[in-house]
């Protein structure tokens, strides 16, 4: 999220909150290491020496230099006008700071709720070709999840809700226990985009790359496309969502470099 509607920094020396499309108002993008007191978000992105602010007016600061460099590069790449849609990392970092920080447990529980109704646990009854595609794509991840999380997932056919054991939710909460606001923001995005906490966690833990997780989440859709063709509007919407998935994956990778 970007820009200040073309206005320069306020008299207080703060860059306006980065969420509105407008004319580029800065020349130099830099990174400043923050004091030890805020080491959990140790690197701030600055425009002409003034800190970028999130929509909620917090300083846009991140845990490591690699992520700060990537966010700064998005600001540096802006032309005469600032385009928020070309800044996916900035938008995601804003969400982590404004929407997740201070609400980490709530976000963990939201991801865990997806696990108890996970996409991978609901299988088609027909046609046989789709049934087989789901089995091939999803069974290995469910098996990996059961081993990694030490919890059994109940797989069913059809759309009627199936009751998972409380151990499933507890296991997901446990595996996310040490995840900070930035990791949780990325995981939450991937979970909501795919409909699967299992796919998000499998990607975060290196079991699947982003492309494989995305493909697994779209087995049903790709089956329909193979039979009936692709709708242009749906294709454009999926492309936008894939960009969000890539941004979340990149955020996890950059955090890991720290």
């Amino acid at each position: 999220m970007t820009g200040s509607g073309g206005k320069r920094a306020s008299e207080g020396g703060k860059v306006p909150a980065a969420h509105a499309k407008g004319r580029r108002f800065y020349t130099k993008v830099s990174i400043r290491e923050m004091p030890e007191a805020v080491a959990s978000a140790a690197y701030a992105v600055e425009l002409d020496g003034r800190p970028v602010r999130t929509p909620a007016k917090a300083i846009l600061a991140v845990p490591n230099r690699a992520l700060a460099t990537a966010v700064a590069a998005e600001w540096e790449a802006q032309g005469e006008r600032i385009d928020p849609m070309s800044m996916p990392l900035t938008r995601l970092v804003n969400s982590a700071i404004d929407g997740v920080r201070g609400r980490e447990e709530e976000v963990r529980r939201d991801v865990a709720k997806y696990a108890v109704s996970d996409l991978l646990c609901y299988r088609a009854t027909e046609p046989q070709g789709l049934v087989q595609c789901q089995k091939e794509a999803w069974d290995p991840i469910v098996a990996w999840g059961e081993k990694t999380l030490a919890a059994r997932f109940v797989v069913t056919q059809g759309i009627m809700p199936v009751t998972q054991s409380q151990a499933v939710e507890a296991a997901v909460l446990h595996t996310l226990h040490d995840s900070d606001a930035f990791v949780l923001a990325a995981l939450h995005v991937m979970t909501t985009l795919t409909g699967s906490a299992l796919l998000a966690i499998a990607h975060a833990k290196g079991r699947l790359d982003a492309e494989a997780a995305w493909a697994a989440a779209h087995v049903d859709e790709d089956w329909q496309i193979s039979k009936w063709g692709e709708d242009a509007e749906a294709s454009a919407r999926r492309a936008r969502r894939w960009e969000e998935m890539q941004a979340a994956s990149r955020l996890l990778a950059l955090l890991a470099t720290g």
Side-chain angles (χ1 to χ4, degrees), residues 71-99:
V71 172
E74 291 187 337
W75 287 90
E76 187 63 56
Q78 299 303 298
E80 183 179 346
R81 299 192 69 82
I82 299 171
D83 180 10
M85 296 310 296
S86 69
M87 306 174 76
L89 278 177
T90 299
R91 298 198 314 270
L92 192 49
V93 165
N94 282 341
S95 296
I97 295 170
D98 288 349

CSV table of all heavy atoms in Angstrom, one decimal, residues 71-99:
chain,number,residue,atom,x,y,z
A,71,VAL,N,11.3,-4.7,0.4
A,71,VAL,CA,10.3,-3.7,0.4
A,71,VAL,C,10.7,-2.3,-0.1
A,71,VAL,O,10.0,-1.7,-0.9
A,71,VAL,CB,9.8,-3.5,1.9
A,71,VAL,CG1,8.8,-2.3,2.0
A,71,VAL,CG2,9.1,-4.8,2.4
A,72,ALA,N,12.0,-2.0,0.2
A,72,ALA,CA,12.5,-0.7,-0.3
A,72,ALA,C,12.6,-0.7,-1.8
A,72,ALA,O,12.4,0.3,-2.5
A,72,ALA,CB,13.9,-0.5,0.3
A,73,ALA,N,12.9,-1.9,-2.4
A,73,ALA,CA,13.0,-2.0,-3.8
A,73,ALA,C,11.6,-1.7,-4.5
A,73,ALA,O,11.6,-1.2,-5.6
A,73,ALA,CB,13.5,-3.4,-4.2
A,74,GLU,N,10.5,-2.1,-3.8
A,74,GLU,CA,9.2,-1.8,-4.4
A,74,GLU,C,9.0,-0.3,-4.4
A,74,GLU,O,8.4,0.2,-5.4
A,74,GLU,CB,8.1,-2.5,-3.5
A,74,GLU,CG,8.1,-4.0,-3.7
A,74,GLU,CD,6.9,-4.6,-3.0
A,74,GLU,OE1,6.3,-4.0,-2.0
A,74,GLU,OE2,6.5,-5.7,-3.3
A,75,TRP,N,9.4,0.4,-3.4
A,75,TRP,CA,9.3,1.8,-3.4
A,75,TRP,C,10.2,2.5,-4.4
A,75,TRP,O,9.8,3.4,-5.1
A,75,TRP,CB,9.6,2.4,-2.0
A,75,TRP,CG,8.5,2.1,-1.0
A,75,TRP,CD1,8.4,1.0,-0.2
A,75,TRP,CD2,7.4,2.9,-0.7
A,75,TRP,NE1,7.2,1.1,0.5
A,75,TRP,CE2,6.6,2.3,0.2
A,75,TRP,CE3,6.9,4.2,-1.2
A,75,TRP,CZ2,5.4,2.8,0.8
A,75,TRP,CZ3,5.8,4.7,-0.7
A,75,TRP,CH2,5.0,4.0,0.3
A,76,GLU,N,11.4,2.0,-4.6
A,76,GLU,CA,12.4,2.5,-5.5
A,76,GLU,C,11.9,2.3,-6.9
A,76,GLU,O,12.1,3.2,-7.8
A,76,GLU,CB,13.7,1.8,-5.3
A,76,GLU,CG,14.8,2.4,-6.2
A,76,GLU,CD,15.1,3.9,-5.8
A,76,GLU,OE1,15.4,4.1,-4.6
A,76,GLU,OE2,15.1,4.7,-6.7
A,77,ALA,N,11.2,1.2,-7.2
A,77,ALA,CA,10.7,0.9,-8.6
A,77,ALA,C,9.5,1.7,-9.0
A,77,ALA,O,9.2,1.7,-10.2
A,77,ALA,CB,10.4,-0.6,-8.6
A,78,GLN,N,8.9,2.5,-8.1
A,78,GLN,CA,7.8,3.3,-8.5
A,78,GLN,C,8.2,4.4,-9.5
A,78,GLN,O,9.3,5.0,-9.4
A,78,GLN,CB,7.1,3.9,-7.3
A,78,GLN,CG,6.5,2.9,-6.3
A,78,GLN,CD,5.6,1.9,-7.0
A,78,GLN,OE1,4.5,2.3,-7.5
A,78,GLN,NE2,5.9,0.6,-7.0
A,79,GLY,N,7.3,4.7,-10.4
A,79,GLY,CA,7.5,5.8,-11.4
A,79,GLY,C,7.0,7.1,-10.9
A,79,GLY,O,7.0,7.4,-9.7
A,80,GLU,N,6.5,7.9,-11.8
A,80,GLU,CA,6.0,9.2,-11.5
A,80,GLU,C,4.8,9.1,-10.6
A,80,GLU,O,4.6,9.9,-9.7
A,80,GLU,CB,5.6,9.9,-12.8
A,80,GLU,CG,5.1,11.4,-12.5
A,80,GLU,CD,4.7,12.1,-13.8
A,80,GLU,OE1,5.1,11.6,-14.9
A,80,GLU,OE2,4.1,13.1,-13.7
A,81,ARG,N,4.0,8.0,-10.8
A,81,ARG,CA,2.9,7.8,-9.9
A,81,ARG,C,3.0,6.4,-9.2
A,81,ARG,O,3.6,5.5,-9.7
A,81,ARG,CB,1.5,7.8,-10.7
A,81,ARG,CG,1.3,9.1,-11.3
A,81,ARG,CD,-0.2,9.2,-11.8
A,81,ARG,NE,-1.1,9.3,-10.8
A,81,ARG,CZ,-1.4,10.4,-10.1
A,81,ARG,NH1,-0.8,11.6,-10.4
A,81,ARG,NH2,-2.3,10.4,-9.2
A,82,ILE,N,2.6,6.4,-8.0
A,82,ILE,CA,2.7,5.2,-7.1
A,82,ILE,C,1.6,4.2,-7.3
A,82,ILE,O,0.4,4.7,-7.3
A,82,ILE,CB,2.8,5.6,-5.6
A,82,ILE,CG1,4.1,6.5,-5.4
A,82,ILE,CG2,2.9,4.3,-4.8
A,82,ILE,CD1,4.1,7.1,-4.0
A,83,ASP,N,1.9,3.0,-7.6
A,83,ASP,CA,0.8,2.0,-7.9
A,83,ASP,C,0.8,1.0,-6.8
A,83,ASP,O,1.7,0.1,-6.7
A,83,ASP,CB,1.1,1.3,-9.2
A,83,ASP,CG,0.0,0.3,-9.5
A,83,ASP,OD1,-1.0,0.2,-8.8
A,83,ASP,OD2,0.2,-0.5,-10.5
A,84,PRO,N,-0.1,1.0,-5.9
A,84,PRO,CA,-0.2,0.0,-4.8
A,84,PRO,C,-0.2,-1.4,-5.2
A,84,PRO,O,0.4,-2.3,-4.5
A,84,PRO,CB,-1.5,0.4,-4.0
A,84,PRO,CG,-1.8,1.8,-4.4
A,84,PRO,CD,-1.3,1.9,-5.8
A,85,MET,N,-0.8,-1.7,-6.3
A,85,MET,CA,-0.9,-3.1,-6.8
A,85,MET,C,0.5,-3.7,-7.2
A,85,MET,O,0.6,-4.9,-7.3
A,85,MET,CB,-1.9,-3.2,-7.9
A,85,MET,CG,-3.3,-2.9,-7.5
A,85,MET,SD,-3.8,-3.7,-6.0
A,85,MET,CE,-3.8,-5.4,-6.6
A,86,SER,N,1.4,-2.8,-7.5
A,86,SER,CA,2.8,-3.2,-7.8
A,86,SER,C,3.7,-3.4,-6.6
A,86,SER,O,4.9,-3.6,-6.7
A,86,SER,CB,3.4,-2.3,-8.8
A,86,SER,OG,3.7,-1.0,-8.2
A,87,MET,N,3.1,-3.3,-5.4
A,87,MET,CA,3.9,-3.4,-4.2
A,87,MET,C,3.3,-4.5,-3.2
A,87,MET,O,2.9,-4.2,-2.1
A,87,MET,CB,3.9,-2.0,-3.5
A,87,MET,CG,4.4,-0.9,-4.4
A,87,MET,SD,4.2,0.7,-3.7
A,87,MET,CE,5.6,0.7,-2.5
A,88,PRO,N,3.3,-5.7,-3.6
A,88,PRO,CA,2.6,-6.8,-2.8
A,88,PRO,C,3.3,-7.0,-1.5
A,88,PRO,O,2.6,-7.3,-0.5
A,88,PRO,CB,2.7,-8.0,-3.7
A,88,PRO,CG,3.9,-7.7,-4.6
A,88,PRO,CD,3.8,-6.3,-4.9
A,89,LEU,N,4.6,-6.9,-1.4
A,89,LEU,CA,5.3,-7.1,-0.1
A,89,LEU,C,5.0,-5.9,0.9
A,89,LEU,O,4.7,-6.2,2.0
A,89,LEU,CB,6.8,-7.2,-0.3
A,89,LEU,CG,7.4,-8.5,-0.7
A,89,LEU,CD1,8.9,-8.4,-0.9
A,89,LEU,CD2,7.1,-9.6,0.3
A,90,THR,N,4.9,-4.7,0.3
A,90,THR,CA,4.6,-3.6,1.2
A,90,THR,C,3.2,-3.8,1.7
A,90,THR,O,2.9,-3.6,2.9
A,90,THR,CB,4.6,-2.3,0.4
A,90,THR,OG1,6.0,-2.1,-0.1
A,90,THR,CG2,4.2,-1.1,1.2
A,91,ARG,N,2.2,-4.2,0.9
A,91,ARG,CA,0.9,-4.4,1.4
A,91,ARG,C,0.8,-5.5,2.4
A,91,ARG,O,0.1,-5.3,3.4
A,91,ARG,CB,-0.1,-4.7,0.2
A,91,ARG,CG,-0.2,-3.7,-0.9
A,91,ARG,CD,-1.4,-3.8,-1.8
A,91,ARG,NE,-1.6,-5.2,-2.2
A,91,ARG,CZ,-1.0,-5.7,-3.3
A,91,ARG,NH1,-0.3,-5.0,-4.1
A,91,ARG,NH2,-1.3,-7.0,-3.7
A,92,LEU,N,1.5,-6.6,2.2
A,92,LEU,CA,1.5,-7.7,3.2
A,92,LEU,C,2.2,-7.3,4.5
A,92,LEU,O,1.7,-7.7,5.6
A,92,LEU,CB,2.2,-8.9,2.5
A,92,LEU,CG,2.0,-10.2,3.2
A,92,LEU,CD1,0.6,-10.5,3.6
A,92,LEU,CD2,2.6,-11.3,2.4
A,93,VAL,N,3.3,-6.5,4.4
A,93,VAL,CA,3.9,-6.1,5.6
A,93,VAL,C,3.0,-5.1,6.4
A,93,VAL,O,2.9,-5.2,7.6
A,93,VAL,CB,5.3,-5.4,5.3
A,93,VAL,CG1,5.8,-4.6,6.5
A,93,VAL,CG2,6.3,-6.5,4.9
A,94,ASN,N,2.3,-4.2,5.7
A,94,ASN,CA,1.3,-3.4,6.3
A,94,ASN,C,0.3,-4.2,7.1
A,94,ASN,O,-0.1,-3.9,8.2
A,94,ASN,CB,0.6,-2.5,5.3
A,94,ASN,CG,1.5,-1.3,4.8
A,94,ASN,OD1,2.4,-0.9,5.5
A,94,ASN,ND2,1.1,-0.8,3.7
A,95,SER,N,-0.2,-5.3,6.4
A,95,SER,CA,-1.2,-6.1,7.1
A,95,SER,C,-0.6,-6.8,8.3
A,95,SER,O,-1.4,-6.9,9.3
A,95,SER,CB,-1.7,-7.2,6.1
A,95,SER,OG,-2.3,-6.6,5.0
A,96,ALA,N,0.6,-7.2,8.3
A,96,ALA,CA,1.2,-7.9,9.4
A,96,ALA,C,1.3,-6.9,10.6
A,96,ALA,O,1.0,-7.2,11.7
A,96,ALA,CB,2.6,-8.4,9.1
A,97,ILE,N,1.7,-5.7,10.3
A,97,ILE,CA,1.9,-4.7,11.4
A,97,ILE,C,0.6,-4.2,11.9
A,97,ILE,O,0.4,-4.1,13.1
A,97,ILE,CB,2.8,-3.5,10.8
A,97,ILE,CG1,4.2,-4.0,10.5
A,97,ILE,CG2,2.8,-2.4,11.8
A,97,ILE,CD1,5.0,-3.0,9.7
A,98,ASP,N,-0.3,-3.8,11.0
A,98,ASP,CA,-1.6,-3.2,11.4
A,98,ASP,C,-2.7,-4.2,11.8
A,98,ASP,O,-3.5,-3.9,12.7
A,98,ASP,CB,-2.1,-2.3,10.3
A,98,ASP,CG,-1.4,-1.0,10.1
A,98,ASP,OD1,-0.5,-0.7,10.9
A,98,ASP,OD2,-1.6,-0.4,9.1
A,99,GLY,N,-2.7,-5.4,11.2
A,99,GLY,CA,-3.8,-6.3,11.3
A,99,GLY,C,-3.4,-7.6,12.2
A,99,GLY,O,-4.4,-8.2,12.7
